[in-house]
Amino acid sequence: MIWRVWLLERVIATAVISEKESEAEAYASLEELKSLVTTAGGTVMATTVQNRPTPDVSTYVGKGKADEIEGLVEEWEADVVVVNGELSPRQGQSLAARTSARVIDRTQLILDIFADRARTKEGRIQVELAQLTYLLPRLRGQGHALSRLGGGIGTRGPGETKLETDRRHIQKRMDELKKELRRIRKHRSTLRKQKERQNHPQFTLVGYTNAGKTTLLNALTNEEALAEDLLFATLDPLTRALRLPSGLSVRISDTVGFIRGLPTTLIAAFRATLEEVSEADVLIHIIDATSPEAETEKQTVMELLDELGAGDIPVITVMNKAENLEEDGVPTVNAGRPRLYASAREKQNIDDLQTVMEDELIKQMSFYSISIPAGDGRRLYEIRHSTIVREETFDEANELYKLQGYAFDHHPQIAAERKTDKKEDHR
């Protein structure tokens, strides 16, 4: 069951700034936490920060800070305390015992948003599996905490009846979910192989959450997929067809946005969805050019790509939201080439991006020259739509179309033509 919050809940946000991170990084992360709360259907009434070498092993924050948090809860009549970190079972239970509000951490908040935004069957299964994986070691004390809830931030997903059952039942449910995911993955694999036989290259949009991936997808394909100014507006993978300037038909997929501190359980559970990333021919990395944290966000994305086994896939970097940049406000981002500035919302430089997309594919292709009889319209159509045609002429005397361009080595018709040419050369 998925709970929905219709009234904004009052939230107290708290963070520990450890000696491992700078003040700037910590406060940027805290601002991100506030955006996550807004996305989840809450409003941050107050924030509190504590500097200490490491979080307290018992209550995460010190006991004095815990008392301050309870004072803020009473002052603002807050419903939820959100900690900008991951609480151990002991820390969560101890901190919850010292306040009348629900206590959740950043991981649980992100899982909560995913539970609310998953639309497909696969997405819902992956969310529930991630939540159960996260909650399993935290079952002690959850029964009392959930018995006083009526739904809200941090409670969407499995529901209290599942969480109050014993570990064996929860483990059984997790096994069922994994079995269903394997079935879905097998089906997805079959569909993917069918698409591969169509010789349509795969582009995948990646980037930090709210960088503008879905808006760029809409600009490229002239479609109207949901694009909201919220974190994790897109959760379930979305694939669209696109015709590049040469006539080549490609597939382009949108994916869930990355974020710093993305829960490990979530990465593991969503690995099937993120296969769209690891199996792409080219990645298009969208960066919010207006973000003061653009370099950090880029680095977060690159690290997660490595973790997904996609670190060696060619990348096109798009500095998005360029329409909002001041002349002297261009961020310093250490991104490789090709790189271009664009505005997905204003559809600026979209044509340039499509040209770069073709150029990146050509680097993976080989040159071909082929002649096709004028009467073989089907074959001519397939070559025009499954390769990058650079030159096409018509030989009236022999009634042949002569095409030159670039194709993948595994393209069946081009490969067959090359094999025939080699045989003739050998003779």
Side-chain angles (χ1 to χ4, degrees):
M1 178 178 181
I2 294 181
W3 296 91
R4 299 190 185 282
V5 181
W6 300 110
L7 297 176
L8 291 179
E9 291 192 283
R10 295 167 174 257
V11 177
I12 306 299
T14 185
V16 168
I17 302 179
S18 70
E19 57 188 10
K20 295 181 179 179
E21 60 182 341
S22 67
E23 293 268 342
E25 290 173 338
Y27 279 99
S29 180
L30 187 57
E31 287 301 312
E32 195 170 75
L33 182 74
K34 293 179 184 179
S35 296
L36 288 168
V37 169
T38 300
T39 300
T43 181
V44 176
M45 309 305 298
T47 60
T48 177
V49 175
Q50 184 175 44
N51 291 84
R52 54 184 299 136
T54 58
D56 185 86
V57 294
S58 177
T59 53
Y60 194 79
V61 296
K63 290 182 172 56
K65 181 61 69 172
D67 292 338
E68 180 186 330
I69 291 171
E70 174 55 17
L72 289 171
V73 168
E74 294 177 356
E75 178 184 351
W76 292 102
E77 298 181 348
D79 306 289
V80 189
V81 172
V82 182
V83 175
N84 193 30
E86 184 165 323
L87 296 170
S88 69
R90 178 184 177 186
Q91 289 169 332
Q93 292 158 18
S94 298
L95 192 54
R98 300 178 68 91
T99 178
S100 55
R102 300 192 300 279
V103 176
I104 65 173
D105 59 19
R106 183 185 178 97
T107 298
Q108 195 169 351
L109 179 61
I110 293 174
L111 289 169
D112 189 68
I113 294 168
F114 274 49
D116 188 46
R117 290 187 167 267
R119 294 291 178 265
T120 65
K121 181 179 180 180
E122 179 184 13
R124 290 176 182 273
I125 290 174
Q126 289 178 132
V127 168
E128 184 176 354
L129 180 59
Q131 287 182 311
L132 291 175
T133 301
Y134 172 79
L135 290 169
L136 188 59
R138 296 169 171 82
L139 286 177
R140 181 181 298 175
Q142 287 287 341
H144 171 69
L146 288 167
S147 67
R148 64 187 184 187
L149 305 186
I153 297 174
T155 68
R156 287 178 276 244
E160 76 177 277
T161 54
K162 286 192 181 70
L163 298 181
E164 288 176 339
T165 52
D166 61 23
R167 292 175 182 272
R168 189 183 308 170
H169 180 83
I170 295 225
Q171 190 63 59
K172 181 181 178 182
R173 175 61 179 160
M174 290 172 67
D175 291 341
E176 291 172 352
L177 292 172
K178 289 175 182 177
K179 183 178 180 180
E180 182 64 14
L181 269 182
R182 284 194 294 270
R183 187 191 66 78
I184 292 174
R185 287 172 183 173
K186 184 177 180 180
H187 177 66
R188 282 166 60 89
S189 177
T190 301
L191 291 177
R192 189 178 296 112
K193 288 177 181 177
Q194 290 174 351
K195 291 176 181 178
E196 287 173 355
R197 284 197 291 269
Q198 296 171 354
N199 294 298
H200 293 166
Q202 172 73 46
F203 288 87
T204 300
L205 303 175
V206 297
Y208 209 75
T209 185
N210 208 29
K213 295 182 298 301
T214 304
T215 305
L216 184 62
L217 178 71
N218 290 338
L220 283 165
T221 62
N222 293 315
E223 299 269 356
E224 289 300 326
L226 173 66
E228 295 181 281
D229 189 21
L230 289 172
L231 302 184
F232 300 124
T234 300
L235 176 57
D236 298 304
L238 181 65
T239 300
R240 292 281 186 263
L242 172 64
R243 187 77 55 79
L244 292 179
S246 68
L248 175 68
S249 295
V250 302
R251 291 175 292 127
I252 182 165
S253 297
D254 194 6
T255 57
V256 61
F258 295 158
I259 194 169
R260 76 189 85 190
L262 193 65
T264 304
T265 53
L266 202 58
I267 296 173
F270 275 79
R271 197 165 290 276
T273 301
L274 293 171
E275 284 176 0
E276 297 289 348
V277 175
S278 59
E279 297 190 3
D281 294 295
V282 178
L283 300 175
I284 302 177
H285 181 185
I286 297 90
I287 297 175
D288 180 356
T290 66
S291 172
E293 297 294 313
E295 174 61 28
T296 301
E297 292 168 2
K298 181 220 75 175
Q299 193 60 39
T300 296
V301 172
M302 300 309 292
E303 289 172 0
L304 285 170
L305 288 176
D306 283 337
E307 190 170 341
L308 290 167
D312 295 329
I313 298 175
V315 177
I316 298 170
T317 304
V318 176
M319 304 297 293
N320 191 29
K321 306 184 184 181
E323 77 278 12
N324 297 323
L325 281 178
E326 301 291 339
E327 287 188 8
D328 58 349
V330 178
T332 302
V333 178
N334 183 24
R337 303 289 178 181
R339 181 175 97 165
L340 70 158
Y341 284 82
S343 169
R345 190 174 300 279
E346 302 296 331
K347 296 189 176 181
Q348 297 174 4
N349 291 345
I350 300 302
D351 290 344
D352 292 342
L353 173 57
Q354 292 191 12
T355 299
V356 172
M357 290 166 68
E358 283 194 348
D359 291 343
E360 283 305 297
L361 285 178
I362 286 175
K363 293 177 182 177
Q364 303 179 44
M365 295 175 165
S366 299
F367 178 80
Y368 75 84
S369 180
I370 190 172
S371 296
I372 301 176
D376 197 347
R378 180 177 179 179
R379 188 181 179 199
L380 183 63
Y381 176 88
E382 290 180 356
I383 294 295
R384 285 171 174 167
H385 290 78
S386 60
T387 73
I388 295 177
V389 178
R390 282 292 182 248
E391 185 176 337
E392 179 178 328
T393 58
F394 182 62
D395 181 353
E396 293 186 11
N398 298 301
E399 294 188 342
L400 290 173
Y401 282 95
K402 295 185 176 180
L403 295 90
Q404 292 184 335
Y406 297 88
F408 286 113
D409 289 336
H410 58 71
H411 190 289
Q413 295 191 46
I414 301 299
E417 184 75 15
R418 287 173 179 155
K419 192 176 292 185
T420 301
D421 291 343
K422 286 182 180 179
K423 285 181 179 179
E424 290 179 354
D425 290 343
H426 182 69
R427 289 173 185 170

